[in-house]
Amino acid sequence: MSRSTKPPQAPKLQLWSIAIWVALLWSCYVENMFLRHMGAMRQMGTVGWLAPVANFILIVICLAALLRIHWARPALRLAAAATVLWIPFSARHELSLWREMARPPVAGEPSALLAMQASMQQQLHWVLGMDMALKLALMAFWLWLCWRLGRSDVAPFFHRRRKSRG
């Protein structure tokens, strides 16, 4: 009897695993932005601290998902769904701020101030458009990740941690 000795195959690259890395890196970037603007968040009071705390929790969940710990899959699905629900509210808030900043110039303002305000409004339109496009892409990303982590073929990758005997 001859035995075929096949070399062990490397595990297939999983797109959802890469997506978790992207989510982790994005969350770390956002957390860095929160920490840079700590003073502005202090002025907002308790509400100002909710976003960085939620983002830190998302970082912990992403790390657990990369370690493939069993509780991370449903937790990341819940976090992805919450993020998808949060994005429209944040977009609405940004649109209201934009409307406030795009107010018509007051009569009697110096012409240099009017020119600067017109220039800022053009830049604001561009930034707002890019931000809304990014929010749509992020919604699609989080929806896909939530759906993908819910599939039965992903579940075997997550396992309970074994207690070490020591």
Side-chain angles (χ1 to χ4, degrees):
M1 219 194 272
S2 69
R3 284 185 157 166
S4 64
T5 55
K6 292 182 182 178
Q9 292 183 357
K12 283 181 156 181
L13 182 63
Q14 302 293 326
L15 191 56
W16 58 266
S17 184
I18 295 171
I20 293 172
W21 273 106
V22 170
L24 174 65
L25 293 173
W26 180 260
S27 297
C28 289
Y29 171 75
V30 169
E31 191 70 21
N32 185 29
M33 292 293 116
F34 284 140
L35 294 176
R36 282 187 179 187
H37 302 290
M38 193 76 77
M41 291 186 329
R42 283 188 186 140
Q43 293 174 352
M44 293 174 64
T46 307
V47 175
W49 289 99
L50 290 177
V53 168
N55 196 60
F56 181 75
I57 291 169
L58 181 61
I59 290 171
V60 170
I61 292 171
C62 286
L63 286 171
L66 289 172
L67 292 173
R68 307 217 174 153
I69 299 172
H70 75 282
W71 59 263
R73 188 171 75 104
L76 190 54
R77 289 188 74 207
L78 180 65
T83 303
V84 166
L85 294 174
W86 171 78
I87 288 174
F89 289 111
S90 70
R92 188 174 138 225
H93 175 70
E94 288 173 10
L95 283 172
S96 68
L97 289 175
W98 175 75
R99 280 190 208 110
E100 194 175 300
M101 292 178 71
R103 66 171 175 77
V106 177
E109 288 184 342
S111 60
L113 184 62
L114 291 174
M116 184 178 74
Q117 191 175 23
S119 171
M120 285 176 57
Q121 283 180 355
Q122 280 183 334
Q123 291 174 0
L124 197 60
H125 285 294
W126 186 82
V127 168
L128 184 67
M130 293 301 292
D131 185 55
M132 292 302 149
L134 179 64
K135 285 186 183 309
L136 284 173
L138 283 172
M139 280 182 72
F141 170 81
W142 286 112
L143 280 171
W144 177 83
L145 187 60
C146 184
W147 167 78
R148 190 69 182 115
L149 288 174
R151 298 205 25 162
S152 61
D153 59 332
V154 174
F157 288 96
F158 292 85
H159 50 82
R160 293 187 183 277
R161 285 287 198 211
R162 295 180 191 100
K163 293 181 182 178
S164 61
R165 295 179 188 173

